[in-house]
Structure formats: structure tokens, C-alpha cells
Amino acid sequence: MIFNHVRVALRTFGRNGSAYPLATGILAVGIGLSVAIFSLVTAVVLNPLPFPNQDRIHLIWKADSQTNERLVGELAYPELNDLQAGIKELEHVALIPAALYGNARVLQTSSGEPVQIETCPTTVDLFRVLDVAPVIGRDFTASDEGVGAAPVVMLSDRVWRKYFGANRQIIGQLIRLNGIGHTIIGVMSAAVDFPRGAGLWVPLAPQTDRRMIWLMAIGRAKQNVSREHLQSGAEHTFQMQYAEYAKVYSRTQRAVVTPLAEYLTGSSKPQLLLSLFASVLLLLSACVSAGNLFLSRTLSRRREIATRISLGATPARILTQFTIEALVAALAATIAGSLLAAATIRLLVSWAPADIPRIESAHLDLAALAFAAAMTLLATLACSIGPALLLRGKNLEALQRDGGLRTAGSRTGRRLQSLFIFSQSAITVAILSLSLLLFLSYRAMLRTDIGFTHPETLTMNLALRGPHIEPEMRRRFYAELLERLRAAPAVTAAAAVLLRPLEGPIGWDTEYSFEFDTGTRDPHLLTKANFEVVTPRYFDTVGTALLTGRDFSEHDSETGEKVAIVSQSLAQQIRAAGHEPLGERIRVFGAWRKVIGVTADARYRRVIEFADNVYVPYRQVKVPTNYLVIRGRVPAADLVALVRATLKIMDSTQALAGEATLGELAERNTARSRFTVLILILFAGGAVMLGAAGIHSVIRESLSVRAKEIAVRIALGAGRRRLVIQTAGGALLWVTCGVMAGLAGALFIGYRAADMLYEISPADPIVLTSVAGLVFTVAAIASLIPAWTAAGRDPRECLQAE
């Protein structure tokens, strides 16, 4: 019996032209794209972390909106005791670096080739906070830190396998990090990747200076302790800090408590959730489009139903047939959609930036597929069985009559079709508006002047490591290295900098003040600037224009007058106070410096994040230069080989890492936005196609049902143009209403996602009017084509077909 129904369903699909295959294809697209995005969101956001009771783990930061616009405030080592004493709701608390970069250790490998490995210095309770244990060896203990403690190290699974051949007898082995012997005490499991990218963990050396802020706290709360309780405890602790150390801390500092999962996903979470929302809208759009077709086909089969009833078919048999047809269509759409979803997941993972955590583990999510399949089945059943149920109660005469002159459709059928057209238009406008806003935002990012006109400049980490490295030795080393590199024919410019541009959101900040406003500003409310230590010719190498004054030189030495170069934004502050920048004195890190130059503004943290910049010469501070910047006449790979060869001659124990051009760093910085834009453009294209296909199909199916009515009206002298306007006008009225509703929805979504937009308003009139015009135009074309075709048919052919 079932097989007979399936055979009849397939025969019905073939007999009804392209309506059913088109509906099935539309559903497959909706299922494929929505399931693909849900699978990515599951992998990145929803899947649990490899840490038991992860909801109890929180990061603790500081923020001070008056002194730091970026709202990122690090902690100093002595604040660990403050948190342990002040927040009784914490079981364990540890300190880790706020940023992993800058903490690498040089490992002497068995091949003799040194390599830099990202390292996390931490206090001993980190893995107790995470509630994980080494798979081999032991955890850190209190005896591993402090003065006189023997250096120890814990390996990540990746480093253990790559450099030590997964040797399980490695515990107790001595290795050299930065030229110092460290004993391996443990190996962590492959699942533990925290902080992300860490290959080694070493005990954090105790410090006493509360002004050395570069850390953040991570704590595990006790059972049933909420984030709000931790927030309150941290706020009280930081208030007590100000009361006791008023000269060190700001009275406006406040606590920021961030759940671990939220910290790890960062900006990728709202971007993926936004994409998920768009995918759900697309799935709804697909269901609406396909539902339109199923509804129209069912309504057009009234005469068939009448004939079958007259031949003795029971209502139950008719409903069963319609149900089987819906199931066959839903099954076909689900199978095709799952294949499309799997292919889309592979494609999106290959497009995704590397810094989105766990996205590489994304796979076809069966729960998402089941949900999409259920929505598809409901849509097909509702639009196939619903009209059949309405027709079941009618007598044979009524069905035959509806199949005749009044095939124009019942009032119920027209209302349902109008509702679908309205929904389709609204969903399409919402998705398209959001996609266009994010695309224009991303384009604005790309057009932002980041202050570096040489994107081909190669950068690399060379943070000199070892017990023999002292500030004076470091300065001599860099001076000799740069002299050797500049003398090479392949090199056009070379320099060094403390922290290269666009390395990450955490960097060196310094409070600053000018001599002319001394005593007029509260020292605890001074704004902050990005602080960079550079060598001579740095600005020429990276392409930051020197607007006025002079560059640093080797004469700006330890014994010379202390000097600084400021960015244009700081120079404008000086001019606004009635002074000229050159010759003015600025105080940074407790020292007064004479301004000798003004550079163009440059962005060091993020492409979309502006900050003032203060530069000082490398020979006048103990703060090291950690990154080389080099520009040449040969490919980047040849420049890297040149630097390695030169480094091997000067000190073979040092290692390079993180080679990338300024252009590549800028691309990485905007990669998440680009990924989101690509996803939404994919959805926008799908939404527009689904919308056009849905509206076109509904109008076409509606007109095929009304063929006899149109033929009679043409025979009675009705004009073709008037028929087209009347036929398509009703649909376009509902399209207009849907466009207005979609614009309202786009505004609501846009303002909720305003943090993801750059230099564009969610209510941008050009975007909204363009989208509205595009959707209306597509809908008009989709409506007018079948209407014009139907109105141009020979009325005799139509009546004979009827």
C-alpha cells in the first residue's frame, strides 16, 4: 500500500511540471545552509569545553573608562594575594599573561636548531582552576615557584609529539629554554589548549611592583556562586586597593568578570550567532517559498480530488496520498540538504580565520539536521494536507464548481498565498539589509588608513632570550644586526620595534601629560597612549609618514637628551592648548621627554581601534625591541633566510618566529569580519533567489489555476496591460507590506548588532532604500513575467485545455 502511494506521488511530481522539484530544491538549499551554520555555532559556542563545570570558571580583569578607552585593564602580580583574600567565593585563582605573545621561550631542539615556542608563565593553581591534570607526570606545586626554586616546565601534547617524539619516559628530562635548564614535570592532554596556542607552561616569577600590570586572573568559583557574586567581590577588592594604595590605583577602576567560554569565543560568538539568526531566517524563507508551491499545487488539484471522490475514493485515502507526497518531498529535500550542508561546512572551515576556537572540529550536526528536517516536514504537510482537509468537507458539486469558472481560488487560498508573499518579502529584506550593512562595514575597514604605506614590509619576532641578555647587550646586538642587514644588497630598509603593528589587542599603554598642563590635571585620571620603542629608520621601513621634525638617530643615546616622537593626534592636543609640538615636553613612564617629531596616526592594536602613539628611541630605555621589520628587493622567504643566516653568525642560540608582512597582519585583523560577511553574502544571495523563485512560482501557479477566468475576460475584450496590472498588483501590494515589515526588522537587528558595524549606521538610508528597491524590483519582475505570459495566451487554447 505504501509503495503504491509513493509510486503515485512520484508520478504526480512528474505530471505537475517543475513545481514539486523546484519546491524540493528550495527546501534543500534552506536545509543545507542553515544546518551548516548551526554546525559551526555548535562547534565553537555550544559544545562544552574540556574543563569540568566550565560555568564556574571566570576571567577577572579591570576597566577604567576614564583612563583607558579600550576598557582593558591588566593586573600586577601582588594582586593575586588581594583576590585570594578578598573573594572568598573562589576555590582557586591563578594569574596568566593578558596576552600570550611576548612570552615565548627558545627551545634548543635535538637537531640543534633553536625554535621559539609560545609559553604561558602562570602561578601554580592554573590547572586546579581548570580542573585538569597532566596525562603524564605531575602538576605544579608551591615548591616550583619563588626564589631558589628549580626551573620546571610542563609540555603541551603538540610540543611533546613534535619535538620529543611522544616519548612517555620524558618526565624528569632536562631541556634548555632561553639557555636555562628546565626539568620536564608533566605533559597535558591534547584537549587542553589554554591559553590558546600555548606550547609550554612555566611557573610565574613573583614580583612586588604593583605598577607592572600585564596579567589577568582566572578563578574557579565555589558551587552555586554566581557571576554577580564574583563581580561584587572583585569590586570590593579593587576598592580596597585604592584605599590602601591611592598613589598606584585609580578610584574609578572597576571589575570585569568574564566567563571562560565567553572569553574564548570573543568576537566570534556574536558574529556566529548573527549568522545563525540569518540562517534560521533563510530556512523560514525556504519553507515559505516551498510552502507556496505546495499550497498552489494542492489548490489546483481540486478537480482531481472531485474526480477521485466520484470514483469512490475515501477522504482518508486522499489525505494519505497527500501525506505521502509531503513525506517524499521532505525526505528528498533532507537528503539533498544534508549533502549540501556537509560540503558547505568544509568550505566555511577552509575560509574561517585560524583564531576562531574549535571551528576546525565542526561537522554535520545531526540535531540541527533533524530540526531543519522537522521544519521542512511541517511546511510540506501543512501546505499539502491543510488545503486537502478544507476540501474534504465540501460536497462533490462544490468541488466541481470550484474547478470551473471559480478556479480563481477560494478566499482562504488567496489569503494564504498573500501571507506567504508578505513573509517571503520581509525575510528577504531583513537578511539582505543585514548583509549589506556588514559588507559596507567590512569595506570601510579595508579602506581605513592604518598608517602603514608599505604592506610588503616583513615583520618577525626576535625577542632575544637567555641569561646573558642584558639591556645594554640587547641594544648592541640590534645595532649590529640592523647594520649587517642594511648592508645587504637585497635589503632597502630595516629597523626594530617593541611590539609590531596589529599583533593583538593587548599592548604597552602609558599615561602621559604635557609640561604646560602640569598641576592642572588629576594624575589618576590621565588618558593613555600606545607606547612603542623603535630604532632609527623605523618609520621609513613601515611607511608611517614623518610629518614634521626629525627621526631618531644613534645619537639619541643613553647619555643624550631624552626625546620622543608623537602621533598627529597628540600633536593636535598640544596645538589646541596654544603650543607647538616640536620642543614641547611630554611625560611618559615618569620621565620628561622633548618632542622632536610628529608622525601620521597609525593603528597598532586593531584596524578599527584608534589610539594616540608615543615613540621613544631604543637606546634610551630598558624596554626591549622584540620585532624586526625589514623591506627588500626580494621575496619575503629570501629575506627570512637572510635574517636567519645573519642571526646564526651572530648568536646561533636565538630563533625567529611569526614571520608575516604588514599586509598579512592587517588581513588577519579583519579576518573574522570578512568571514561573517562571506557567510551573510551567501545567505543574502540565497534569500534573494528563494524570494524571487517563491514569488514567481506563486504567481505562476495562481495564474495557471485562473487560466479559464483569464481566457473568458480576454474573450470579453479585457486589455492585456490591464489584466497584467490587476493580476500582479495584488501580489505587489503584499510585497510592499512585506518590505516595510522587513525594514523594521532590519533596523531592530541592526541596532542590536551595532557593535559589529564600523563607520556605518544601522539606519543608513541608502542601504535601506537600496534593499527595499532591489527586493521590490525583483518581486515585480517575478510577478509580471508570468502575468504577462498568461495574459498573452490564446483564449481558445485556454478554454480547450480546461
mmCIF file of all heavy atoms in Angstrom, residues 318-337:
data_model
loop_
_atom_site.group_PDB
_atom_site.id
_atom_site.type_symbol
_atom_site.label_atom_id
_atom_site.label_comp_id
_atom_site.label_asym_id
_atom_site.label_seq_id
_atom_site.Cartn_x
_atom_site.Cartn_y
_atom_site.Cartn_z
ATOM 1 N N ILE A 318 -7.386 9.915 0.328
ATOM 2 C CA ILE A 318 -6.876 11.140 -0.304
ATOM 3 C C ILE A 318 -5.868 11.833 0.606
ATOM 4 O O ILE A 318 -4.790 12.260 0.175
ATOM 5 C CB ILE A 318 -8.043 12.076 -0.657
ATOM 6 C CG1 ILE A 318 -8.897 11.437 -1.774
ATOM 7 C CG2 ILE A 318 -7.535 13.445 -1.081
ATOM 8 C CD1 ILE A 318 -10.127 12.209 -2.123
ATOM 9 N N LEU A 319 -6.218 11.926 1.892
ATOM 10 C CA LEU A 319 -5.303 12.560 2.844
ATOM 11 C C LEU A 319 -4.006 11.766 2.964
ATOM 12 O O LEU A 319 -2.917 12.335 3.087
ATOM 13 C CB LEU A 319 -5.967 12.694 4.214
ATOM 14 C CG LEU A 319 -7.076 13.749 4.317
ATOM 15 C CD1 LEU A 319 -7.688 13.743 5.712
ATOM 16 C CD2 LEU A 319 -6.529 15.133 3.989
ATOM 17 N N THR A 320 -4.115 10.444 2.929
ATOM 18 C CA THR A 320 -2.914 9.606 2.993
ATOM 19 C C THR A 320 -2.005 9.876 1.806
ATOM 20 O O THR A 320 -0.777 9.968 1.941
ATOM 21 C CB THR A 320 -3.306 8.114 3.021
ATOM 22 O OG1 THR A 320 -4.114 7.866 4.171
ATOM 23 C CG2 THR A 320 -2.059 7.238 3.069
ATOM 24 N N GLN A 321 -2.609 10.016 0.623
ATOM 25 C CA GLN A 321 -1.813 10.280 -0.569
ATOM 26 C C GLN A 321 -1.086 11.615 -0.470
ATOM 27 O O GLN A 321 0.106 11.727 -0.775
ATOM 28 C CB GLN A 321 -2.711 10.265 -1.816
ATOM 29 C CG GLN A 321 -1.955 10.488 -3.115
ATOM 30 C CD GLN A 321 -0.901 9.418 -3.340
ATOM 31 O OE1 GLN A 321 -1.174 8.232 -3.184
ATOM 32 N NE2 GLN A 321 0.298 9.833 -3.684
ATOM 33 N N PHE A 322 -1.809 12.636 0.001
ATOM 34 C CA PHE A 322 -1.178 13.944 0.151
ATOM 35 C C PHE A 322 -0.071 13.891 1.214
ATOM 36 O O PHE A 322 0.971 14.548 1.092
ATOM 37 C CB PHE A 322 -2.226 15.002 0.510
ATOM 38 C CG PHE A 322 -2.937 15.557 -0.686
ATOM 39 C CD1 PHE A 322 -4.052 14.918 -1.213
ATOM 40 C CD2 PHE A 322 -2.497 16.715 -1.296
ATOM 41 C CE1 PHE A 322 -4.714 15.428 -2.314
ATOM 42 C CE2 PHE A 322 -3.157 17.235 -2.399
ATOM 43 C CZ PHE A 322 -4.268 16.599 -2.922
ATOM 44 N N THR A 323 -0.291 13.121 2.262
ATOM 45 C CA THR A 323 0.725 12.986 3.311
ATOM 46 C C THR A 323 1.976 12.320 2.765
ATOM 47 O O THR A 323 3.108 12.757 3.044
ATOM 48 C CB THR A 323 0.165 12.167 4.492
ATOM 49 O OG1 THR A 323 -0.996 12.811 5.008
ATOM 50 C CG2 THR A 323 1.215 12.030 5.588
ATOM 51 N N ILE A 324 1.807 11.251 1.984
ATOM 52 C CA ILE A 324 2.950 10.553 1.398
ATOM 53 C C ILE A 324 3.714 11.485 0.467
ATOM 54 O O ILE A 324 4.955 11.503 0.458
ATOM 55 C CB ILE A 324 2.491 9.286 0.649
ATOM 56 C CG1 ILE A 324 1.900 8.268 1.630
ATOM 57 C CG2 ILE A 324 3.640 8.665 -0.134
ATOM 58 C CD1 ILE A 324 2.887 7.766 2.659
ATOM 59 N N GLU A 325 2.993 12.283 -0.313
ATOM 60 C CA GLU A 325 3.662 13.235 -1.204
ATOM 61 C C GLU A 325 4.513 14.219 -0.398
ATOM 62 O O GLU A 325 5.645 14.535 -0.772
ATOM 63 C CB GLU A 325 2.631 13.975 -2.041
ATOM 64 C CG GLU A 325 1.931 13.107 -3.074
ATOM 65 C CD GLU A 325 0.847 13.857 -3.820
ATOM 66 O OE1 GLU A 325 0.721 15.080 -3.600
ATOM 67 O OE2 GLU A 325 0.130 13.229 -4.621
ATOM 68 N N ALA A 326 3.960 14.712 0.712
ATOM 69 C CA ALA A 326 4.711 15.642 1.554
ATOM 70 C C ALA A 326 5.939 14.968 2.146
ATOM 71 O O ALA A 326 7.035 15.552 2.202
ATOM 72 C CB ALA A 326 3.816 16.182 2.668
ATOM 73 N N LEU A 327 5.798 13.714 2.588
ATOM 74 C CA LEU A 327 6.920 12.989 3.173
ATOM 75 C C LEU A 327 8.015 12.731 2.146
ATOM 76 O O LEU A 327 9.203 12.855 2.448
ATOM 77 C CB LEU A 327 6.429 11.664 3.764
ATOM 78 C CG LEU A 327 5.584 11.752 5.032
ATOM 79 C CD1 LEU A 327 5.025 10.382 5.397
ATOM 80 C CD2 LEU A 327 6.411 12.300 6.180
ATOM 81 N N VAL A 328 7.618 12.364 0.929
ATOM 82 C CA VAL A 328 8.606 12.113 -0.125
ATOM 83 C C VAL A 328 9.387 13.390 -0.434
ATOM 84 O O VAL A 328 10.623 13.382 -0.558
ATOM 85 C CB VAL A 328 7.915 11.573 -1.391
ATOM 86 C CG1 VAL A 328 8.891 11.547 -2.567
ATOM 87 C CG2 VAL A 328 7.365 10.177 -1.130
ATOM 88 N N ALA A 329 8.668 14.502 -0.553
ATOM 89 C CA ALA A 329 9.339 15.775 -0.839
ATOM 90 C C ALA A 329 10.275 16.167 0.297
ATOM 91 O O ALA A 329 11.410 16.608 0.068
ATOM 92 C CB ALA A 329 8.297 16.872 -1.073
ATOM 93 N N ALA A 330 9.804 16.013 1.542
ATOM 94 C CA ALA A 330 10.632 16.373 2.694
ATOM 95 C C ALA A 330 11.863 15.479 2.786
ATOM 96 O O ALA A 330 12.965 15.945 3.104
ATOM 97 C CB ALA A 330 9.807 16.285 3.973
ATOM 98 N N LEU A 331 11.703 14.188 2.512
ATOM 99 C CA LEU A 331 12.836 13.264 2.567
ATOM 100 C C LEU A 331 13.867 13.604 1.505
ATOM 101 O O LEU A 331 15.079 13.631 1.775
ATOM 102 C CB LEU A 331 12.337 11.830 2.389
ATOM 103 C CG LEU A 331 13.422 10.744 2.405
ATOM 104 C CD1 LEU A 331 14.152 10.736 3.738
ATOM 105 C CD2 LEU A 331 12.814 9.373 2.116
ATOM 106 N N ALA A 332 13.400 13.860 0.291
ATOM 107 C CA ALA A 332 14.328 14.215 -0.790
ATOM 108 C C ALA A 332 15.073 15.501 -0.455
ATOM 109 O O ALA A 332 16.290 15.615 -0.671
ATOM 110 C CB ALA A 332 13.562 14.357 -2.102
ATOM 111 N N ALA A 333 14.340 16.491 0.082
ATOM 112 C CA ALA A 333 14.973 17.762 0.449
ATOM 113 C C ALA A 333 15.984 17.570 1.568
ATOM 114 O O ALA A 333 17.063 18.184 1.560
ATOM 115 C CB ALA A 333 13.912 18.772 0.872
ATOM 116 N N THR A 334 15.675 16.713 2.527
ATOM 117 C CA THR A 334 16.588 16.475 3.652
ATOM 118 C C THR A 334 17.874 15.808 3.188
ATOM 119 O O THR A 334 18.975 16.177 3.615
ATOM 120 C CB THR A 334 15.898 15.622 4.726
ATOM 121 O OG1 THR A 334 14.721 16.295 5.188
ATOM 122 C CG2 THR A 334 16.827 15.372 5.903
ATOM 123 N N ILE A 335 17.745 14.809 2.318
ATOM 124 C CA ILE A 335 18.940 14.126 1.816
ATOM 125 C C ILE A 335 19.821 15.092 1.031
ATOM 126 O O ILE A 335 21.032 15.189 1.258
ATOM 127 C CB ILE A 335 18.531 12.929 0.941
ATOM 128 C CG1 ILE A 335 17.843 11.859 1.805
ATOM 129 C CG2 ILE A 335 19.754 12.337 0.242
ATOM 130 C CD1 ILE A 335 17.257 10.709 1.003
ATOM 131 N N ALA A 336 19.204 15.838 0.106
ATOM 132 C CA ALA A 336 19.983 16.810 -0.678
ATOM 133 C C ALA A 336 20.556 17.897 0.223
ATOM 134 O O ALA A 336 21.701 18.337 0.053
ATOM 135 C CB ALA A 336 19.095 17.416 -1.765
ATOM 136 N N GLY A 337 19.755 18.357 1.202
ATOM 137 C CA GLY A 337 20.219 19.403 2.110
ATOM 138 C C GLY A 337 21.384 18.959 2.972
ATOM 139 O O GLY A 337 22.302 19.735 3.238
#
